[in-house]
Amino acid sequence: MDFTPELSLAKQFEMIYERNHWYAPLRDLLAAVTPDEAIRRPVQGGHTIYEIVHHLLYSAEEATHRLGGRPSQWDEARSWVETPAALTAEEWQATIGRYDDTRRAFRDAAFKLGDAALEAADANRPAPYDLVQQILHHEAFHAGQIAYIRRLHGREALL
């Protein structure tokens, strides 16, 4: 089987979020987090799960716009939100749903480009394939943080 850029990315999108044999996919991790756990700060100065999810949302939205041709408008301060004092189950589910929708839009934007455009580098920007890879690795990194925060909260690891 020949691995095209699109096929390679499709497998990575799936492994990180939906299905993995080595660790819990991000979708399962988020589904296991309660609203109270989402807003509980694990350590002084550390991020909450809620903050991490919003950071991932911002990252996927920014990457989607960049795949559409807009220059980078990354703003580190805007990529992090403050954790609310309280969070209902409905609000937490809406946050997870928004992330799922945003991630799907990012995936669709990447696949809309096709293999040739994914690999096309520009002197001022990395190839879209590289951008998508970076965002996927970023997502896997934060999934590991979420799993670890759950453990700090006394929750069992998901496999």
Side-chain angles (χ1 to χ4, degrees), residues 61-79:
E61 287 172 345
E62 172 65 18
T64 301
H65 293 304
R66 287 178 63 188
L67 289 174
R70 188 194 78 194
S72 175
Q73 294 180 2
W74 181 263
D75 182 341
E76 185 67 19
R78 286 186 51 215
S79 79

Side-chain angles (χ1 to χ4, degrees), residues 4 6 11 21-22 33 42 55 65 74-75 77 80-82 85 93 102 110 112 143 145 147 155:
T4 65
E6 191 172 321
K11 289 213 167 277
H21 298 290
W22 294 98
V33 172
H55 176 71
H65 293 304
W74 181 263
D75 182 341
W80 295 100
V81 299
E82 288 192 33
Q93 288 307 309
T102 301
K112 181 180 174 184
Q145 284 185 315
R155 298 291 303 272

Side-chain angles (χ1 to χ4, degrees), residues 9-14 18 60 64 67 101-113 132:
L9 292 177
K11 289 213 167 277
Q12 291 177 64
F13 268 104
E14 179 183 355
E18 300 166 18
T64 301
L67 289 174
D101 292 344
T102 301
R103 189 178 193 278
R104 190 175 305 108
F106 170 55
R107 177 188 168 127
D108 291 349
F111 294 153
K112 181 180 174 184
L113 294 175
V132 175

Side-chain angles (χ1 to χ4, degrees), residues 17-84:
Y17 195 66
E18 300 166 18
R19 209 170 296 140
N20 198 302
H21 298 290
W22 294 98
Y23 56 85
L26 183 53
R27 181 178 60 189
D28 294 352
L29 285 169
L30 294 177
V33 172
T34 67
D36 181 58
E37 290 169 338
I39 63 172
R40 192 179 326 148
R41 195 161 306 281
V43 294
Q44 183 68 26
H47 289 293
T48 65
I49 293 172
Y50 180 88
E51 291 167 347
I52 292 169
V53 171
H54 279 273
H55 176 71
L56 288 171
L57 256 163
Y58 180 89
S59 301
E61 287 172 345
E62 172 65 18
T64 301
H65 293 304
R66 287 178 63 188
L67 289 174
R70 188 194 78 194
S72 175
Q73 294 180 2
W74 181 263
D75 182 341
E76 185 67 19
R78 286 186 51 215
S79 79
W80 295 100
V81 299
E82 288 192 33
T83 297

